[in-house]
Amino acid sequence: MPTISDVAKLSGLSKTTVSRVINNHSYVSKEKKELVMKAMKELNYTPNPSARRLRGNLTTILGVIVPRIVNPFFSSLVNAIEQAAYKKGYQVLICQSNEDKAKELAFLNLLKTKQVDGVIMTSIENDWDVIESYREYGSILLCNDYVNQAVVPMIRLDQTKGAYLGAKHLIERGHLKIAYCTGGLFDEQGKGKDRNQGFQKALHEAGIKINPKWIFIDQHTIEDGKQVIKQILEMDDRPTAIFTGSDEVAGGIMIGAKERGLTIPDDLAIIGFDDQPIAEILDPKLTTIRQPVDQMGEKSVEVIIEMLDNPEMEIKSYELPIELIVRQST
């Protein structure tokens, strides 16, 4: 069985250079990469990930923590991450926290036990000071969720702008009685807080007071949306429009509304968030805020591999575009 020494000898390069090519280091010239790849092909040499792990070299696995893989947004994001990682020679280990703090920490322990190179967190359940302690064991990158201080690289969107665009769109359609669904109203930082601020800003500019009875907290699923419309229909004073924190919740509201004889958007205008595939399947099609999922996944992989290659790299945020997609539900 050929060894890395055989590849080095045939290519005329050092074992160190061959190792760098195998591990996808960026600091190797194109010519040297071609020599190594040619030698590997001639020798039919395949790197052994397990052996590289035992030697303490760079491993090949990235951990991705998601709250719920059944949520189409997160399954699409994981798909984008996996495809980008595979092209770079990395495998992806999917970890589902189910929004459970203990499970999240159990997955972060994979860094401590060297079972993954780095972790991409798409949602944060624990306080940041708890999560930050795991940085000494490996690279952590935040994608989709974030904290409001420069502690690790973050792939983020302007969530304040997204919620502002959505609420303003409803106001421009003539709605003054607007309900709001959110994952967490009392978030101290991150996307939940920013979305809340964007929603409030749009209503404040229009001189509209927020009705506390029309604020629905901890809404995440289709079933949550069905419960929201049930509560709305039990009210004497009902909203004419509703801004939701996800297309799933919006879909649940729409399904429940239609089952009870309401017409969308005449009786109730609905706007979602994410632009998941469900947005175009619903009838009527869902107005929503589009998040560039593929770009988020690709950028996450690009940055975390750069972190692994250069632990001293500058910590900064990478902001991607967000936009309003207008369809028939409003």
Side-chain angles (χ1 to χ4, degrees):
M1 182 179 292
T3 67
I4 192 171
S5 297
D6 297 325
V7 177
K9 184 177 179 180
L10 183 58
S11 65
L13 301 170
S14 68
K15 288 171 62 176
T16 300
T17 300
V18 173
S19 178
R20 285 176 177 167
V21 172
I22 291 172
N23 289 309
N24 293 311
H25 279 268
S26 56
Y27 307 113
V28 181
S29 69
K30 180 180 178 182
E31 292 77 13
K32 289 181 179 179
K33 285 182 181 178
E34 289 175 350
L35 286 170
V36 171
M37 298 305 292
K38 181 181 178 182
M40 288 172 63
K41 185 176 181 180
E42 288 184 19
L43 293 168
N44 196 26
Y45 172 78
T46 302
N48 186 327
S50 297
R52 290 160 65 198
R53 282 166 118 51
L54 291 172
R55 290 195 302 269
N57 292 343
L58 182 68
T59 55
T60 59
I61 298 179
L62 300 175
V64 180
I65 302 178
V66 298
R68 294 187 306 119
I69 193 63
V70 294
N71 181 312
F73 171 78
F74 289 107
S75 57
S76 296
L77 180 56
V78 168
N79 178 61
I81 290 172
E82 191 281 330
Q83 291 195 51
Y86 182 78
K87 290 177 183 177
K88 297 288 187 179
Y90 283 79
Q91 296 174 334
V92 170
L93 178 65
I94 302 170
C95 309
Q96 182 176 237
S97 71
N98 287 120
E99 300 174 338
D100 184 297
K101 291 184 178 182
K103 286 187 72 175
E104 181 178 78
L105 296 182
F107 293 136
L108 284 170
N109 269 318
L110 296 173
L111 280 174
K112 191 174 183 179
T113 55
K114 305 301 179 185
Q115 296 182 66
V116 296
D117 300 296
V119 170
I120 298 172
M121 302 186 69
T122 67
S123 180
I124 302 172
E125 308 306 331
N126 288 274
D127 293 336
W128 177 250
D129 58 351
V130 176
I131 297 171
E132 189 172 21
S133 64
Y134 287 85
R135 290 179 60 205
E136 65 177 290
Y137 305 115
S139 298
I140 296 176
L141 176 141
L142 302 183
C143 170
N144 180 58
D145 212 344
Y146 48 86
V147 291
N148 294 330
Q149 61 256 36
V151 285
V152 294
M154 293 175 274
I155 313 301
R156 60 182 293 175
L157 307 169
D158 190 339
Q159 301 287 344
T160 302
K161 177 182 177 182
Y164 175 81
L165 288 174
K168 187 175 180 181
H169 171 70
L170 293 174
I171 293 167
E172 290 173 345
R173 286 288 189 272
H175 294 284
L176 302 177
K177 301 168 70 174
I178 303 173
Y180 178 57
C181 290
T182 176
L185 188 63
F186 306 108
D187 293 347
E188 294 183 2
Q189 59 182 353
K191 69 178 184 181
K193 177 182 178 181
D194 289 354
R195 285 188 187 179
N196 297 340
Q197 290 178 340
F199 177 79
Q200 292 174 37
K201 179 183 177 183
L203 267 63
H204 178 74
E205 287 181 355
I208 301 172
K209 290 185 178 181
I210 295 175
N211 186 335
K213 294 181 180 179
W214 298 340
I215 304 297
F216 301 92
I217 305 168
D218 293 329
Q219 307 301 313
H220 304 280
T221 67
I222 290 175
E223 190 57 39
D224 288 339
K226 291 180 178 179
Q227 293 302 313
V228 166
I229 190 62
K230 182 179 178 181
Q231 293 177 56
I232 287 176
L233 290 176
E234 292 172 352
M235 297 177 180
D236 293 327
D237 185 19
R238 302 175 187 171
T240 62
I242 184 163
F243 178 92
T244 72
S246 83
D247 294 342
E248 277 194 283
V249 175
I253 292 171
M254 187 179 294
I255 292 168
K258 292 178 71 177
E259 287 176 347
R260 290 164 174 80
L262 272 67
T263 301
I264 308 299
D266 296 337
D267 296 321
L268 181 69
I270 306 171
I271 184 168
F273 209 110
D274 292 335
D275 197 25
Q276 299 173 11
I278 192 178
E280 290 200 282
I281 297 173
L282 290 166
D283 181 24
K285 294 182 179 181
L286 181 67
T287 295
T288 187
I289 306 298
R290 175 178 291 167
Q291 302 197 82
V293 179
D294 289 346
Q295 290 183 52
M296 293 169 70
E298 292 165 4
K299 192 65 178 179
S300 296
V301 171
E302 175 190 325
V303 174
I304 199 164
I305 290 177
E306 184 180 353
M307 293 170 68
L308 297 172
D309 287 342
N310 178 21
E312 303 302 319
M313 68 174 283
E314 179 187 359
I315 294 175
K316 62 179 181 179
S317 293
Y318 303 82
E319 188 168 294
L320 300 179
I322 196 167
E323 60 180 319
L324 171 70
I325 305 298
V326 180
R327 299 192 179 100
Q328 289 75 41
S329 69
T330 54

